[in-house]
Every structure is written in structure tokens, then in C-alpha cells.
Amino acid sequence: MSAKRGISTTAIILIIVAGIMLFTCPKAVQHEDEMSEVLSAVWHDKCNDMTKDASGAASWLGNALGGILGESMIPAIVKSNLEVKDYFLVSLGYWHSGEDRNLITIGAFNHVFCLASKERIASELNMQ
């Protein structure tokens, strides 16, 4: 009798977790926001590295232009290269680069997890 009770308790817990996952599955916009944040961080790091060698006005101008261009271009780049598939309980974000399609984000429990580090993304974009 206790084995049946254990199975029914486990089944109830799994149904509750699946219900929570169903209602907290992130949408495509959340995947785009996460990737935009990561790409912005990579972009700003690269701009800071480039302007460390410059001095005075050149450094300030490089940071200003890099920030303006990065903030306006990055969301467009992400929107055109990121494909999000919704599987009800989880959502997966795929990055398209040429013929390649790589899993880059996983969304579950109202949070998007990026699978690539800033260093890997920078090397993939030839920014190292």
C-alpha cells in the first residue's frame, strides 16, 4: 500500500512542477534581452580594450561612439540571428551563423540561461 502512495505522491509533485514550468516558460523577448545583454557586455569590453591605448579626446570619442553604435545595432543583430522555439515547459534559443545553428539559451522557470561565456562569444565573433 505504501508503494502506491509513494508513486501517487511522486506523480502529484511532477504534475505540479510541470504546471509551474508551463506558466513560467520564458518568451522569445526574454531570450533576446538576455543575448542582447551578453553581446553588449562583449561589445563594451572590446571598446574599452581598444580605447585603453588611446588618450584624451580619442579615448572619450571611441567610448561614446562605441556605446552609441553598440546599443543601436546589438538588438537588431540578436533579433535577426536568434530563433526561439517554445516547447511549452522550456524554450530554447538557437543562434544562426551562416549554415550553423547552435543552441545558445535555455529558458525555464521564468529565467533564461545563456550557455556560452562572454569569451566564447567574443571568439565566435572574431572580437578577440
Side-chain angles (χ1 to χ4, degrees), residues 15-27 88-89 109-110:
I15 290 171
I16 290 171
V17 169
I20 291 170
M21 288 178 75
L22 179 67
F23 290 110
T24 62
C25 184
K27 304 297 178 210
F88 299 111
L89 300 181
F109 297 107
N110 207 29

Side-chain angles (χ1 to χ4, degrees), residues 18-112:
I20 291 170
M21 288 178 75
L22 179 67
F23 290 110
T24 62
C25 184
K27 304 297 178 210
V29 173
Q30 290 170 294
H31 285 265
E32 291 171 4
D33 290 344
E34 179 69 22
M35 280 307 299
S36 291
E37 286 179 25
V38 172
L39 284 176
S40 291
V42 169
W43 178 261
H44 287 294
D45 289 348
K46 183 63 176 175
C47 287
N48 287 337
D49 290 344
M50 288 175 22
T51 58
K52 281 182 183 175
D53 297 332
S55 62
S59 175
W60 177 83
L61 183 61
N63 278 334
L65 287 175
I68 292 169
L69 291 175
E71 295 302 319
S72 63
M73 290 183 345
I74 288 173
I77 291 169
V78 169
K79 196 171 216 49
S80 66
N81 290 322
L82 186 68
E83 174 191 9
V84 178
K85 298 279 188 174
D86 187 7
Y87 295 104
F88 299 111
L89 300 181
V90 297
S91 54
L92 304 176
Y94 296 94
W95 187 263
H96 293 277
S97 58
E99 296 293 319
D100 295 336
R101 179 180 159 201
N102 299 315
L103 179 64
I104 194 88
T105 58
I106 296 176
F109 297 107
N110 207 29
H111 185 74
V112 176

